[in-house]
Amino acid sequence: IIGKKASFAINQDIHSIVNVGENLSERENGQWEKVVCNQIKTIVDQGIENWSKLIIAYEPVWAIGTGMVASADQ
């Protein structure tokens, strides 16, 4: 759904920000890279032509409101 919404917004000449990120169990199980890549792939698969109107931001779900923060390496 997020990929479709981003594509629609861009086609309407709206600049968009899409956050991607994994939850804590995905991080702890070493699946974070697969999860984030799949999220980005759903956006890429929409055939967006003007990437200058899209920002993809990494914000791990486990770091939102928990007091835990992602390190620079993460």
Side-chain angles (χ1 to χ4, degrees):
I1 272 187
I2 297 300
K4 288 181 181 180
K5 286 183 177 185
S7 178
F8 178 80
I10 290 166
N11 288 335
Q12 300 303 310
D13 205 28
I14 299 171
H15 292 250
S16 300
I17 300 171
V18 175
N19 287 351
V20 297
E22 77 286 355
N23 63 38
L24 186 57
S25 65
E26 292 164 339
R27 163 63 66 186
E28 291 174 342
N29 291 326
Q31 298 175 327
W32 70 271
E33 190 171 6
K34 179 180 178 183
V35 169
V36 171
C37 285
N38 284 339
Q39 292 170 348
I40 293 171
K41 185 178 182 317
T42 64
I43 299 165
V44 171
D45 287 348
Q46 296 303 310
I48 294 171
E49 293 181 17
N50 190 350
W51 286 94
S52 68
K53 295 182 182 180
L54 181 66
I55 296 170
I56 298 176
Y58 172 67
E59 179 65 32
V61 177
W62 56 265
I64 300 173
T66 64
M68 299 172 66
V69 296
S71 70
D73 291 336
Q74 293 174 316

